[in-house]
């Protein structure tokens, strides 16, 4: 097999750890550009495997498979961060991994992530590391209630966290979460005005391209709606972009980093967490940006110039969870949804419908933000028959 030097244009072969929807949308963009992708995932029917050029079916902990991925590609990336860093490290000795192993390790551990960001001077909600029951009591006395207790590892979409509202919540939450992680972190509960995120792209030369700040609405701790752009002042939007750029620069990210933030009631931005990969809050870029987040990552990995992050029209993204299929008895009303003007449907080809499982999303485009939101909600309602007169 011939091997192109990494980052030499469109003949670069990209290896992706993880075959979920992020890998799928990236592989689709790569395919459009004629770039070859190989996905590593344990599930032979995974989302990304259906569209990538090649699928390596193996457990993520299989160092031999990771090596094989590295040897058959020019450059590697990952679409989720809960992956064994030792395996990625081994693969990184064969081919470059972007974003770097250091960035991956930092985000894998919530406490290290927070400490790292705090040391670099980034604004965060007050937090305390918790190892023991004594630490827990001490942390509650410093931070006060309400507070949020989170596991340091393996938490995503609100898994591995509990909101402590009163003193009687403290011990049960500690007992429940402590065995799940090597460490916990207690965080001040932020009565935020809005949740925002910004995706920033950085190439190997250090050039930056930042997407507009977007507004995220969560339901049951899972992203539900993204409004692009965020309904905030220009000043706040620019401050959010400046913060995300600073994160990308200080961490020397090569690739994408999504910076999730809280906007407090006094207009302060606090970083909640980072994701060094394409992010659910950037799916709208496929339909409403000159360059999607996925194309941007493909460009960076291939050593091509960054694309414009210019937004072409107001857009609202609505996630489609397994609950939609369950509410529609397995047959969502796609015709009703697509009857709404300006709606783009994205399904991830997942086998098996579970509540809370991300099955797809739709993006509604319209001349105004309000109209885009109304269209997104109407289209999603159409999937479950919620818009029908009876
Ligand atoms: P995370 O897994 O940390 O992204 O948290 C998931 C969601 O829980 C966030 O998007 C917020 O909606 C909420 N959340 C997390 N941490 C806090 C906090 N310190 N204060 C208030 N809400 C929070």
């Amino acid at each position: 097999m011939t091997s192109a030097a990494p980052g030499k244009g469109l003949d670069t072969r990209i290896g992706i750890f993880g075959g979920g929807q992020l890998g799928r949308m990236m592989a689709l963009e790569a395919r459009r550009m004629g770039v070859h992708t190989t996905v590593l995932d344990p599930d032979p029917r995974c989302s990304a495997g259906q569209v990538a050029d090649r699928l390596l079916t193996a457990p993520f902990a299989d160092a031999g498979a990771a090596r094989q991925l590295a040897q058959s590609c020019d450059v590697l990336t990952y679409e989720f961060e809960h992956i064994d860093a030792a395996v990625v490290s081994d693969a990184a000795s064969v081919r470059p991994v972007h974003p770097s192993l250091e960035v991956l390790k930092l985000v894998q551990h919530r406490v290290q992530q927070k400490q790292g960001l705090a040391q670099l001077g980034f604004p965060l909600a007050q937090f305390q590391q918790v190892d023991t029951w004594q630490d827990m009591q001490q942390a509650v006395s410093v931070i006060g209630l309400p507070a949020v207790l989170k596991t340091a590892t393996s938490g995503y979409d609100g898994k591995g966290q509990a909101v402590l509202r009163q003193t009687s919540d403290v011990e049960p939450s500690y007992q429940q979460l402590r065995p799940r992680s090597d460490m916990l972190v207690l965080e001040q509960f932020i009565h935020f005005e809005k949740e925002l995120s910004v995706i920033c792209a950085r190439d190997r030369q250090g050039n930056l391209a930042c997407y507009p700040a977007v507004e995220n609405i969560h339901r049951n701790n899972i992203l539900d709606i993204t409004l692009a752009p965020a309904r905030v002042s220009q000043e706040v939007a620019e401050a959010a972009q400046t913060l995300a750029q600073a994160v990308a620069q200080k961490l020397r990210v090569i690739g994408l980093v999504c910076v999730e933030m809280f906007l407090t009631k006094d207009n302060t931005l606090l970083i909640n967490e980072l994701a060094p990969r394409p992010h659910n809050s950037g799916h709208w870029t496929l339909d409403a940006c000159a360059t999607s987040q996925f194309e941007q990552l493909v460009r960076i990995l291939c050593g091509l110039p960054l694309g414009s992050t210019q937004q072409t029209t107001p857009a609202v993204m609505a996630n489609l969870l397994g609950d939609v299929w369950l509410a529609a008895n397995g047959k969502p009303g796609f015709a009703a949804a697509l009857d709404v003007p300006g709606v783009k449907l994205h399904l991830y080809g997942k086998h098996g419908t579970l509540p809370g499982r991300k099955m797809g999303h739709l993006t509604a485009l319209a001349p105004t933000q309000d109209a885009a939101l109304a269209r997104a909600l109407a289209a999603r309602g159409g999937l479950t028959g919620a818009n029908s007169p009876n």
Side-chain angles (χ1 to χ4, degrees):
M1 196 179 282
T2 56
S3 174
K8 289 285 186 214
L10 293 170
D11 55 356
T12 303
R13 297 160 305 168
I14 299 175
I16 308 171
F17 286 100
Q21 63 271 17
L22 302 175
R24 177 188 179 95
M25 289 183 267
M26 188 181 161
L28 284 169
E29 288 283 82
R31 215 163 235 265
R32 177 173 59 75
M33 297 166 77
V35 173
H36 188 283
T37 56
T38 302
V39 163
L40 173 69
D41 195 277
D43 179 1
R45 299 198 298 174
C46 67
S47 285
Q50 298 160 23
V51 300
D53 294 278
R54 204 167 140 242
L55 172 66
L56 261 173
T57 309
F60 292 123
D62 183 339
R67 255 181 180 256
Q68 211 183 321
L69 178 74
Q71 278 156 357
S72 64
C73 294
D74 302 302
V75 63
L76 304 171
T77 193
Y78 41 89
E79 58 121 48
F80 72 119
E81 50 275 6
H82 301 295
I83 180 167
D84 188 342
V87 170
V88 178
S89 166
D90 189 44
S93 67
V94 181
R95 293 286 185 272
V97 177
H98 298 306
S100 70
L101 196 62
E102 290 68 35
V103 172
L104 176 66
K105 283 190 187 160
L106 187 77
V107 300
Q108 281 184 333
H109 200 276
R110 228 186 253 279
V111 175
Q112 283 168 18
Q113 183 183 144
K114 284 181 187 295
Q115 286 170 344
L117 289 171
Q119 271 161 21
L120 291 168
F122 289 111
L124 302 168
Q126 202 186 353
F127 68 94
Q128 293 267 309
Q129 175 181 330
V130 172
D131 288 319
T132 63
W133 173 237
Q134 281 71 24
D135 292 343
M136 183 70 199
Q137 289 167 305
Q138 157 80 7
V140 171
S141 71
V142 173
I143 287 175
L145 297 179
V148 188
L149 186 64
K150 300 180 179 177
T151 56
T153 51
S154 316
Y156 62 94
D157 284 346
K159 293 187 177 74
Q161 60 173 271
V163 178
L164 316 185
R165 298 190 188 279
Q166 54 214 17
T167 313
S168 59
D169 294 336
V170 175
E171 196 179 347
S173 303
Y174 174 82
Q175 298 296 356
Q176 190 205 350
L177 293 179
R178 187 65 193 89
R180 295 210 210 155
S181 177
D182 70 329
M183 207 182 277
L184 302 177
V185 60
L186 188 73
E187 241 176 74
Q188 180 190 6
F189 184 92
I190 304 297
H191 297 277
F192 52 77
E193 180 67 29
K194 286 178 192 299
E195 288 189 84
L196 307 181
S197 62
V198 175
I199 295 167
C200 188
R202 184 172 174 276
D203 69 13
R204 267 173 253 191
Q205 289 74 42
N207 298 308
L208 294 166
C210 206
Y211 287 92
V214 299
E215 178 178 339
N216 298 319
I217 299 169
H218 292 81
R219 198 196 285 176
N220 300 327
N221 279 330
I222 301 175
L223 183 63
D224 185 40
I225 299 276
T226 294
L227 297 109
R231 296 170 297 184
V232 293
S233 67
Q234 196 179 335
E235 203 181 8
V236 168
E238 283 173 7
Q241 286 184 308
T242 304
L243 193 53
Q245 289 188 22
V247 169
Q249 267 172 325
K250 289 240 170 101
L251 298 184
R252 302 177 161 277
V253 171
I254 296 176
L256 305 179
V257 62
C258 176
V259 182
E260 292 185 63
M261 313 167 199
F262 299 125
L263 175 66
T264 65
K265 299 211 184 286
D266 64 357
N267 265 0
T268 303
L269 290 168
L270 301 172
I271 296 181
N272 175 29
E273 63 178 358
L274 309 181
R277 51 166 171 78
H279 192 260
N280 196 168
S281 67
H283 290 357
W284 64 275
T285 60
L286 279 167
D287 299 307
C289 259
T291 311
S292 75
Q293 61 169 345
F294 304 102
E295 176 179 341
Q296 197 75 283
L297 183 54
V298 170
R299 285 174 176 243
I300 293 168
L301 296 173
C302 293
L304 295 165
L306 292 173
S308 160
T309 52
Q310 179 87 38
Q311 183 167 358
T312 50
T313 165
V316 171
M317 190 271 331
N319 265 340
L320 305 178
L321 303 182
D323 310 63
V324 169
W325 276 253
L326 298 172
N329 290 324
K331 289 197 179 305
F334 294 116
L338 291 172
D339 201 30
V340 178
V343 168
K344 303 292 230 177
L345 178 67
H346 300 255
L347 295 180
Y348 307 148
K350 289 195 183 174
H351 296 274
T353 310
L354 294 170
R357 188 173 197 208
K358 290 175 181 170
M359 304 294 288
H361 71 270
L362 50 85
T363 307
L365 312 176
T368 67
Q369 182 70 272
D370 286 349
L373 179 58
R375 285 176 173 183
L377 296 178
R380 191 165 63 178
L383 291 174
T384 52
N387 297 342
S388 55
N390 41 7

